[in-house]
Amino acid sequence: MKHYLQFSDLTASDYHHLFERAAVIKHRFKSYVRYQPLADRTLAMIFEKASTRTRVSFEAGMYQMGGSVVHLTTGDSQLGRSEPIEDSAKVISRMVDLVMIRTFEQTKIERFAAHSRVPVINGLTNEFHPCQILADLFTWLEHRGCVAPASGETPPKLDPNALRGKVVAWVGDGNNMANTWLQAADILGFTVHVSTPSGYEVDAAVAGVRSNCWKVFKDPMEACRGAHLVTTDVWTSMGYEAENEARMKAFAAWCVSPEMMAVAQPDALFMHCLPAHRGEEVSAEVIDGPQSVVWDEAENRMHVQKALMEYLLLGRVSQ
Ligand code: CP
Ligand code: NVA
């Protein structure tokens, strides 16, 4: 049994498989071909923080694959009344086939997984957001690594090695998304140019990556220079709201602007996991402009997570 608690839980070969399966599964969905390998399987989704994309993508994806979902939040379950996480894991995992959790500390999801009989997926913690980066990478490949477009019943052919040697510019907070980008770079062979305000740096020990997969830049403009992909995230992540005022001041220069996009590669893409705040971490011109692929990125959460659920429950399916 495998859990997906952080991006580094899977190998490059696993990711190559997932990208290929996501392309197959997405193509079937777009062609109205029913694909229900998870009939009679149940996914429990536990949310201790708010969500739009993660909830809808997992819930719709599980139904499309023939399964069912149970939605739990802190407020409407015993999780909010201090039932030990280990006890919750033992009980919930006797009744469902798969669990997705969005919570605060990574240690919480690790404790849950240690007592779970079924695979556990990280739907975002303070430290990591692996499902989002999985969607981002797939989106990047669709736009810049497609070697043969879909035709008839054949899905598009993506070349996962297209990401090798490329540069991603991370502009903003050294947060869960940044940590996960670093893990992806280490595993898939690209480099992240990271620019954060001082005091909000990435903690390399959290990401646990080799030093050659990322470089630090004081000036966000320099981080973007020559990048193939520019990406950012909110200045204040969920759970850090008390710091909002200080962050608004500290992050003022870390807004992805048309000038930053202009020094990136001419065909650079812009990504944002959403929700976004136009005028804060990104200007409206960029997120609503021609280089932005944020809507594909959001939609792809569902397709890649369907591939992930298939993999965790059924292994390397090939048909
Ligand atoms: N990107 C993302 O995880 O969005 P939600 O918070 O809406 O789930
Ligand atoms: N870094 C953000 C991502 C939201 C999807 C947060 O943790 O709130």
Side-chain angles (χ1 to χ4, degrees):
M1 181 179 75
K2 270 192 164 82
H3 298 298
Y4 192 52
L5 306 185
Q6 47 185 298
F7 197 89
S8 59
D9 284 345
L10 299 183
T11 62
S13 151
D14 294 327
Y15 284 110
H16 293 186
H17 169 79
L18 287 178
F19 297 142
E20 195 182 319
R21 288 305 293 168
V24 169
I25 290 169
K26 180 173 180 176
H27 187 63
R28 280 186 192 153
F29 176 76
K30 297 286 181 187
S31 314
Y32 301 98
V33 173
R34 185 175 289 200
Y35 179 56
Q36 303 200 316
L38 302 186
D40 301 326
R41 306 290 183 114
T42 305
L43 164 73
M45 304 192 295
I46 301 173
F47 285 97
E48 299 209 287
K49 291 176 176 171
S51 167
T52 296
R53 278 145 289 270
T54 303
R55 175 164 182 194
V56 177
S57 56
F58 269 106
E59 189 158 340
M62 192 59 180
Y63 285 131
Q64 288 161 20
M65 295 186 97
S68 312
V69 298
V70 176
H71 178 249
L72 292 164
T73 66
T74 314
D76 65 13
S77 68
Q78 301 291 6
L79 290 160
R81 298 182 62 256
S82 37
E83 179 166 11
I85 198 141
E86 292 79 5
D87 293 2
S88 303
K90 285 177 194 166
V91 172
I92 294 168
S93 71
R94 280 179 180 234
M95 301 179 193
V96 303
D97 302 279
L98 191 58
V99 179
M100 188 285 303
I101 306 181
R102 168 168 287 196
T103 188
F104 293 87
E105 298 80 20
Q106 183 74 9
T107 49
K108 271 182 121 173
I109 198 169
E110 284 167 0
R111 282 165 57 203
F112 191 104
H115 294 87
S116 172
R117 288 183 168 189
V118 302
V120 176
I121 299 172
N122 182 344
L124 181 146
T125 57
N126 291 350
E127 290 86 349
F128 299 113
H129 198 2
C131 293
Q132 182 66 55
I133 300 299
L134 184 55
D136 294 4
L137 296 169
F138 180 70
T139 308
W140 193 6
L141 283 176
E142 280 188 321
H143 284 270
R144 297 287 180 261
C146 182
V147 288
S151 101
E153 285 178 17
T154 312
K157 184 153 179 44
L158 307 177
D159 173 15
N161 291 315
L163 307 184
R164 289 210 157 268
K166 297 288 190 301
V167 172
V168 174
W170 176 264
V171 176
D173 193 15
N175 64 9
N176 43 11
M177 284 290 296
N179 290 334
T180 314
W181 269 114
L182 294 196
Q183 291 196 340
D186 202 14
I187 292 168
L188 297 170
F190 57 90
T191 306
V192 186
H193 287 184
V194 179
S195 179
T196 68
S198 81
Y200 299 95
E201 290 86 359
V202 167
D203 181 347
V206 173
V209 293
R210 289 171 289 190
S211 58
N212 61 354
C213 70
W214 64 301
K215 281 187 198 151
V216 175
F217 292 79
K218 265 208 166 109
D219 180 352
M221 197 77 156
E222 291 313 309
C224 293
R225 198 172 296 284
H228 301 87
L229 173 64
V230 177
T231 186
T232 185
D233 189 10
V234 290
W235 289 343
T236 306
S237 285
M238 292 181 280
Y240 297 83
E241 290 80 0
E243 301 173 11
N244 198 35
E245 214 177 303
R247 284 172 173 265
M248 293 291 273
K249 287 189 192 123
F251 282 79
W254 277 263
C255 172
V256 178
S257 59
E259 292 73 26
M260 288 184 196
M261 294 305 296
V263 297
Q265 296 286 334
D267 68 343
L269 299 174
F270 172 77
M271 288 194 189
H272 189 311
C273 63
L274 307 177
H277 299 83
R278 289 168 177 77
E280 292 185 15
E281 73 275 8
V282 59
S283 74
E285 273 166 282
V286 171
I287 194 168
D288 299 320
Q291 287 166 282
S292 171
V293 291
V294 297
W295 313 120
D296 290 344
E297 196 188 346
E299 178 190 326
N300 281 335
R301 286 291 301 278
M302 185 174 81
H303 306 302
V304 298
Q305 288 161 194
K306 286 168 77 177
L308 177 67
M309 292 192 288
E310 177 193 71
Y311 175 66
L312 293 176
L313 290 175
L314 305 176
R316 288 200 184 194
V317 170
S318 58
Q319 82 281 8

PDB file of all heavy atoms in Angstrom, residues 125-142:
ATOM      1  N   THR A 125      -1.245  20.580   2.986  1.00  0.00           N
ATOM      2  CA  THR A 125      -0.857  20.818   4.388  1.00  0.00           C
ATOM      3  C   THR A 125      -0.081  22.132   4.411  1.00  0.00           C
ATOM      4  O   THR A 125       0.197  22.707   3.354  1.00  0.00           O
ATOM      5  CB  THR A 125       0.061  19.689   4.918  1.00  0.00           C
ATOM      6  OG1 THR A 125       1.207  19.604   4.044  1.00  0.00           O
ATOM      7  CG2 THR A 125      -0.638  18.353   4.983  1.00  0.00           C
ATOM      8  N   ASN A 126       0.306  22.573   5.597  1.00  0.00           N
ATOM      9  CA  ASN A 126       1.129  23.795   5.678  1.00  0.00           C
ATOM     10  C   ASN A 126       2.414  23.629   4.872  1.00  0.00           C
ATOM     11  O   ASN A 126       2.942  24.598   4.333  1.00  0.00           O
ATOM     12  CB  ASN A 126       1.527  24.077   7.133  1.00  0.00           C
ATOM     13  CG  ASN A 126       0.340  24.502   7.975  1.00  0.00           C
ATOM     14  OD1 ASN A 126      -0.740  24.768   7.445  1.00  0.00           O
ATOM     15  ND2 ASN A 126       0.530  24.570   9.282  1.00  0.00           N
ATOM     16  N   GLU A 127       2.906  22.404   4.788  1.00  0.00           N
ATOM     17  CA  GLU A 127       4.218  22.169   4.163  1.00  0.00           C
ATOM     18  C   GLU A 127       4.156  21.822   2.678  1.00  0.00           C
ATOM     19  O   GLU A 127       5.088  22.139   1.947  1.00  0.00           O
ATOM     20  CB  GLU A 127       4.955  21.041   4.896  1.00  0.00           C
ATOM     21  CG  GLU A 127       5.441  21.401   6.287  1.00  0.00           C
ATOM     22  CD  GLU A 127       4.398  21.201   7.375  1.00  0.00           C
ATOM     23  OE1 GLU A 127       3.215  20.974   7.037  1.00  0.00           O
ATOM     24  OE2 GLU A 127       4.759  21.274   8.560  1.00  0.00           O
ATOM     25  N   PHE A 128       3.105  21.120   2.230  1.00  0.00           N
ATOM     26  CA  PHE A 128       3.104  20.587   0.853  1.00  0.00           C
ATOM     27  C   PHE A 128       1.712  20.645   0.207  1.00  0.00           C
ATOM     28  O   PHE A 128       0.689  20.621   0.908  1.00  0.00           O
ATOM     29  CB  PHE A 128       3.571  19.119   0.844  1.00  0.00           C
ATOM     30  CG  PHE A 128       4.974  18.928   1.357  1.00  0.00           C
ATOM     31  CD1 PHE A 128       5.207  18.255   2.553  1.00  0.00           C
ATOM     32  CD2 PHE A 128       6.068  19.419   0.657  1.00  0.00           C
ATOM     33  CE1 PHE A 128       6.506  18.077   3.036  1.00  0.00           C
ATOM     34  CE2 PHE A 128       7.367  19.249   1.133  1.00  0.00           C
ATOM     35  CZ  PHE A 128       7.581  18.570   2.324  1.00  0.00           C
ATOM     36  N   HIS A 129       1.730  20.648  -1.138  1.00  0.00           N
ATOM     37  CA  HIS A 129       0.476  20.561  -1.913  1.00  0.00           C
ATOM     38  C   HIS A 129       0.759  19.715  -3.164  1.00  0.00           C
ATOM     39  O   HIS A 129       0.731  20.218  -4.300  1.00  0.00           O
ATOM     40  CB  HIS A 129      -0.002  21.963  -2.275  1.00  0.00           C
ATOM     41  CG  HIS A 129      -1.438  22.044  -2.686  1.00  0.00           C
ATOM     42  ND1 HIS A 129      -2.291  20.939  -2.692  1.00  0.00           N
ATOM     43  CD2 HIS A 129      -2.198  23.095  -3.128  1.00  0.00           C
ATOM     44  CE1 HIS A 129      -3.488  21.322  -3.108  1.00  0.00           C
ATOM     45  NE2 HIS A 129      -3.461  22.609  -3.375  1.00  0.00           N
ATOM     46  N   PRO A 130       1.030  18.422  -2.983  1.00  0.00           N
ATOM     47  CA  PRO A 130       1.501  17.611  -4.118  1.00  0.00           C
ATOM     48  C   PRO A 130       0.488  17.444  -5.247  1.00  0.00           C
ATOM     49  O   PRO A 130       0.884  17.387  -6.418  1.00  0.00           O
ATOM     50  CB  PRO A 130       1.843  16.263  -3.469  1.00  0.00           C
ATOM     51  CG  PRO A 130       1.090  16.224  -2.194  1.00  0.00           C
ATOM     52  CD  PRO A 130       0.992  17.655  -1.737  1.00  0.00           C
ATOM     53  N   CYS A 131      -0.810  17.353  -4.942  1.00  0.00           N
ATOM     54  CA  CYS A 131      -1.802  17.176  -6.023  1.00  0.00           C
ATOM     55  C   CYS A 131      -1.805  18.382  -6.953  1.00  0.00           C
ATOM     56  O   CYS A 131      -2.025  18.250  -8.162  1.00  0.00           O
ATOM     57  CB  CYS A 131      -3.198  16.964  -5.448  1.00  0.00           C
ATOM     58  SG  CYS A 131      -3.342  15.410  -4.552  1.00  0.00           S
ATOM     59  N   GLN A 132      -1.568  19.563  -6.390  1.00  0.00           N
ATOM     60  CA  GLN A 132      -1.550  20.767  -7.223  1.00  0.00           C
ATOM     61  C   GLN A 132      -0.358  20.740  -8.176  1.00  0.00           C
ATOM     62  O   GLN A 132      -0.487  21.045  -9.362  1.00  0.00           O
ATOM     63  CB  GLN A 132      -1.489  22.020  -6.337  1.00  0.00           C
ATOM     64  CG  GLN A 132      -1.519  23.306  -7.124  1.00  0.00           C
ATOM     65  CD  GLN A 132      -2.839  23.524  -7.842  1.00  0.00           C
ATOM     66  OE1 GLN A 132      -3.885  23.501  -7.221  1.00  0.00           O
ATOM     67  NE2 GLN A 132      -2.800  23.741  -9.155  1.00  0.00           N
ATOM     68  N   ILE A 133       0.806  20.357  -7.659  1.00  0.00           N
ATOM     69  CA  ILE A 133       1.994  20.347  -8.534  1.00  0.00           C
ATOM     70  C   ILE A 133       1.858  19.254  -9.590  1.00  0.00           C
ATOM     71  O   ILE A 133       2.294  19.430 -10.730  1.00  0.00           O
ATOM     72  CB  ILE A 133       3.291  20.197  -7.700  1.00  0.00           C
ATOM     73  CG1 ILE A 133       3.427  21.367  -6.714  1.00  0.00           C
ATOM     74  CG2 ILE A 133       4.522  20.100  -8.603  1.00  0.00           C
ATOM     75  CD1 ILE A 133       3.512  22.748  -7.331  1.00  0.00           C
ATOM     76  N   LEU A 134       1.228  18.159  -9.231  1.00  0.00           N
ATOM     77  CA  LEU A 134       0.962  17.111 -10.220  1.00  0.00           C
ATOM     78  C   LEU A 134       0.132  17.699 -11.375  1.00  0.00           C
ATOM     79  O   LEU A 134       0.438  17.482 -12.555  1.00  0.00           O
ATOM     80  CB  LEU A 134       0.219  15.970  -9.515  1.00  0.00           C
ATOM     81  CG  LEU A 134      -0.109  14.708 -10.286  1.00  0.00           C
ATOM     82  CD1 LEU A 134       1.138  14.093 -10.895  1.00  0.00           C
ATOM     83  CD2 LEU A 134      -0.795  13.693  -9.368  1.00  0.00           C
ATOM     84  N   ALA A 135      -0.884  18.467 -11.043  1.00  0.00           N
ATOM     85  CA  ALA A 135      -1.721  19.115 -12.071  1.00  0.00           C
ATOM     86  C   ALA A 135      -0.918  20.150 -12.856  1.00  0.00           C
ATOM     87  O   ALA A 135      -1.050  20.267 -14.076  1.00  0.00           O
ATOM     88  CB  ALA A 135      -2.930  19.777 -11.422  1.00  0.00           C
ATOM     89  N   ASP A 136      -0.069  20.898 -12.165  1.00  0.00           N
ATOM     90  CA  ASP A 136       0.715  21.943 -12.833  1.00  0.00           C
ATOM     91  C   ASP A 136       1.676  21.324 -13.851  1.00  0.00           C
ATOM     92  O   ASP A 136       1.833  21.820 -14.972  1.00  0.00           O
ATOM     93  CB  ASP A 136       1.504  22.759 -11.799  1.00  0.00           C
ATOM     94  CG  ASP A 136       0.592  23.558 -10.878  1.00  0.00           C
ATOM     95  OD1 ASP A 136      -0.639  23.427 -10.988  1.00  0.00           O
ATOM     96  OD2 ASP A 136       1.106  24.302 -10.023  1.00  0.00           O
ATOM     97  N   LEU A 137       2.314  20.237 -13.459  1.00  0.00           N
ATOM     98  CA  LEU A 137       3.281  19.594 -14.354  1.00  0.00           C
ATOM     99  C   LEU A 137       2.577  19.003 -15.574  1.00  0.00           C
ATOM    100  O   LEU A 137       3.062  19.108 -16.705  1.00  0.00           O
ATOM    101  CB  LEU A 137       4.049  18.497 -13.602  1.00  0.00           C
ATOM    102  CG  LEU A 137       4.926  19.009 -12.454  1.00  0.00           C
ATOM    103  CD1 LEU A 137       5.417  17.836 -11.618  1.00  0.00           C
ATOM    104  CD2 LEU A 137       6.097  19.831 -12.982  1.00  0.00           C
ATOM    105  N   PHE A 138       1.425  18.403 -15.329  1.00  0.00           N
ATOM    106  CA  PHE A 138       0.659  17.835 -16.448  1.00  0.00           C
ATOM    107  C   PHE A 138       0.241  18.960 -17.414  1.00  0.00           C
ATOM    108  O   PHE A 138       0.326  18.818 -18.638  1.00  0.00           O
ATOM    109  CB  PHE A 138      -0.551  17.072 -15.900  1.00  0.00           C
ATOM    110  CG  PHE A 138      -1.411  16.460 -16.963  1.00  0.00           C
ATOM    111  CD1 PHE A 138      -0.963  15.382 -17.709  1.00  0.00           C
ATOM    112  CD2 PHE A 138      -2.679  16.962 -17.232  1.00  0.00           C
ATOM    113  CE1 PHE A 138      -1.746  14.815 -18.710  1.00  0.00           C
ATOM    114  CE2 PHE A 138      -3.476  16.410 -18.219  1.00  0.00           C
ATOM    115  CZ  PHE A 138      -3.006  15.331 -18.959  1.00  0.00           C
ATOM    116  N   THR A 139      -0.181  20.076 -16.851  1.00  0.00           N
ATOM    117  CA  THR A 139      -0.601  21.222 -17.669  1.00  0.00           C
ATOM    118  C   THR A 139       0.586  21.749 -18.481  1.00  0.00           C
ATOM    119  O   THR A 139       0.462  22.076 -19.670  1.00  0.00           O
ATOM    120  CB  THR A 139      -1.150  22.346 -16.758  1.00  0.00           C
ATOM    121  OG1 THR A 139      -2.154  21.777 -15.903  1.00  0.00           O
ATOM    122  CG2 THR A 139      -1.730  23.497 -17.552  1.00  0.00           C
ATOM    123  N   TRP A 140       1.733  21.814 -17.836  1.00  0.00           N
ATOM    124  CA  TRP A 140       2.952  22.272 -18.507  1.00  0.00           C
ATOM    125  C   TRP A 140       3.265  21.344 -19.691  1.00  0.00           C
ATOM    126  O   TRP A 140       3.546  21.794 -20.806  1.00  0.00           O
ATOM    127  CB  TRP A 140       4.089  22.282 -17.489  1.00  0.00           C
ATOM    128  CG  TRP A 140       5.330  23.005 -17.910  1.00  0.00           C
ATOM    129  CD1 TRP A 140       5.524  23.751 -19.041  1.00  0.00           C
ATOM    130  CD2 TRP A 140       6.566  23.039 -17.179  1.00  0.00           C
ATOM    131  NE1 TRP A 140       6.811  24.248 -19.052  1.00  0.00           N
ATOM    132  CE2 TRP A 140       7.464  23.831 -17.925  1.00  0.00           C
ATOM    133  CE3 TRP A 140       6.997  22.489 -15.965  1.00  0.00           C
ATOM    134  CZ2 TRP A 140       8.775  24.080 -17.503  1.00  0.00           C
ATOM    135  CZ3 TRP A 140       8.296  22.738 -15.537  1.00  0.00           C
ATOM    136  CH2 TRP A 140       9.167  23.521 -16.294  1.00  0.00           C
ATOM    137  N   LEU A 141       3.159  20.041 -19.457  1.00  0.00           N
ATOM    138  CA  LEU A 141       3.431  19.081 -20.533  1.00  0.00           C
ATOM    139  C   LEU A 141       2.410  19.201 -21.663  1.00  0.00           C
ATOM    140  O   LEU A 141       2.771  19.119 -22.841  1.00  0.00           O
ATOM    141  CB  LEU A 141       3.403  17.650 -19.983  1.00  0.00           C
ATOM    142  CG  LEU A 141       4.623  17.211 -19.192  1.00  0.00           C
ATOM    143  CD1 LEU A 141       4.413  15.811 -18.635  1.00  0.00           C
ATOM    144  CD2 LEU A 141       5.872  17.250 -20.076  1.00  0.00           C
ATOM    145  N   GLU A 142       1.153  19.394 -21.308  1.00  0.00           N
ATOM    146  CA  GLU A 142       0.136  19.550 -22.364  1.00  0.00           C
ATOM    147  C   GLU A 142       0.471  20.729 -23.268  1.00  0.00           C
ATOM    148  O   GLU A 142       0.294  20.668 -24.477  1.00  0.00           O
ATOM    149  CB  GLU A 142      -1.232  19.822 -21.735  1.00  0.00           C
ATOM    150  CG  GLU A 142      -1.944  18.604 -21.218  1.00  0.00           C
ATOM    151  CD  GLU A 142      -3.370  18.954 -20.805  1.00  0.00           C
ATOM    152  OE1 GLU A 142      -3.601  20.032 -20.231  1.00  0.00           O
ATOM    153  OE2 GLU A 142      -4.263  18.152 -21.057  1.00  0.00           O
TER     154      GLU A 142
END
